[in-house]
Amino acid sequence: MILEHAVLPVVPGREAEFEVAFADAKAIIASMPGFVDLTLSRSLETAHEYLLLVHWERLEDHDPGFRGSPEYQRWRELLHGFYAPFPVVEHFREVVSMPAEGAR
């Protein structure tokens, strides 16, 4: 499994609008082959920054899969106008994992 990581710098003052647009956009990415799950979190220190984490079965499911799809064009239309500057996206493969004590 691959973890996509992107810090999304939303234009200050457009956070609420971005969250509404993301609520629509999440169905697009969730419908893609190889999509596993996602989380979107808002920074406590920098209110206009969000952290997007997406699990994909394989790197190819994200790029070229999702990024090369017609659905990605709709994703872009909904979200890319909110970013300044444009986010850097990186992919990670898990090396170590450890659940909290008592978690199963």
Side-chain angles (χ1 to χ4, degrees):
M1 188 167 5
I2 300 299
L3 177 62
E4 171 193 352
H5 164 283
V7 174
L8 308 176
V10 172
V11 174
R14 297 193 66 199
E15 298 88 354
E17 187 183 354
F18 168 73
E19 291 180 19
V20 169
F22 194 90
D24 291 337
K26 70 182 180 184
I28 297 169
I29 196 169
S31 73
M32 297 306 300
F35 171 85
V36 177
D37 62 19
L38 71 73
T39 60
L40 179 69
S41 303
R42 188 170 181 180
S43 172
L44 298 176
E45 290 77 23
T46 309
H48 68 276
E49 286 190 353
Y50 292 79
L51 174 63
L52 175 63
L53 300 174
V54 183
H55 281 109
W56 296 96
E57 290 177 11
R58 304 171 310 133
L59 177 60
E60 296 80 11
D61 293 326
H62 180 232
D63 194 5
F66 177 51
R67 284 190 168 175
S69 71
E71 292 86 353
Y72 183 70
Q73 299 312 310
R74 179 67 181 135
W75 172 271
R76 286 181 56 194
E77 291 170 9
L78 285 169
L79 300 177
H80 286 198
F82 289 103
Y83 308 137
F86 195 77
V88 173
V89 175
E90 295 185 346
H91 300 91
F92 297 83
R93 183 177 324 267
E94 188 173 285
V95 176
V96 175
S97 174
M98 185 176 143
E101 271 190 52
R104 297 201 189 258

